[in-house]
Amino acid sequence: MTKDELCAENGIFAENDEIILEKLSEKYKDEYMDLVIEVSSIKKAYEDEEFKEYAWKHDMEDSDLLLCILNKNNNMFIGKMTFRNLWDDKPEIGIDIIENYRRDKAMDFKRYHYSLKN
């Protein structure tokens, strides 16, 4: 199974009443890259447009499964989720949330449960 086969044809990986996990695509490029820069330890490097474009293309071609976290009510991008080394003995999950949705803000992600679909 490939990372692309984990998502439905419409790109949806999982959803509940409030959140959609959708495969990263061009339509979320600006929001995704803003968040990548926000959480990066090398923010200055992203001032170079060539580097920024290289980073985007690298993420799109990467073997990791990259998902956008969307507010289901308004389809607003609120974060990203990364599944690394999915088929290894020790897979990893990374989650980055935009500042307005971090803990003690509009949502507390500890209370959400996702029903994962194949």
Side-chain angles (χ1 to χ4, degrees):
M1 178 174 274
T2 67
K3 69 176 185 175
D4 294 329
E5 294 172 323
L6 294 173
C7 298
E9 286 184 30
N10 62 0
I12 303 296
F13 178 76
E15 64 184 307
N16 65 17
D17 293 340
E18 298 181 46
I19 300 294
I20 299 171
L21 298 178
E22 183 176 323
K23 183 179 170 195
L24 178 63
S25 66
E26 189 74 31
K27 69 182 173 181
Y28 298 108
K29 178 181 180 180
D30 292 339
E31 295 92 338
Y32 174 83
M33 290 307 296
D34 287 347
L35 180 56
V36 166
I37 294 166
E38 181 182 323
V39 300
S40 176
S41 61
I42 56 169
K43 290 177 179 48
K44 191 127 180 98
Y46 288 95
E47 292 175 8
D48 179 345
E49 286 300 317
E50 286 183 30
F51 178 81
K52 189 175 179 181
E53 190 60 27
Y54 168 81
W56 167 253
K57 286 180 181 178
H58 177 269
D59 284 357
M60 289 298 292
E61 296 168 359
D62 199 348
S63 62
D64 298 335
L65 177 60
L66 301 172
L67 302 170
C68 298
I69 303 170
L70 308 171
N71 181 317
K72 193 170 186 175
N73 294 326
N74 58 15
N75 222 33
M76 186 175 127
F77 179 93
I78 58 177
K80 66 184 183 80
M81 181 178 284
T82 305
F83 289 89
R84 296 192 191 284
N85 309 315
L86 275 174
W87 293 274
D88 289 355
D89 291 339
K90 297 179 182 177
E92 301 173 25
I93 298 174
I95 301 173
D96 291 309
I97 305 297
I98 62 173
E99 187 173 358
N100 288 344
Y101 283 86
R102 291 183 189 152
R103 186 179 296 178
D104 300 326
K105 300 285 183 176
M107 293 185 176
D108 183 352
F109 278 86
K110 291 189 298 185
R111 66 187 177 98
Y112 291 103
H113 301 279
Y114 296 101
S115 171
L116 303 180
K117 301 175 186 176
N118 291 354

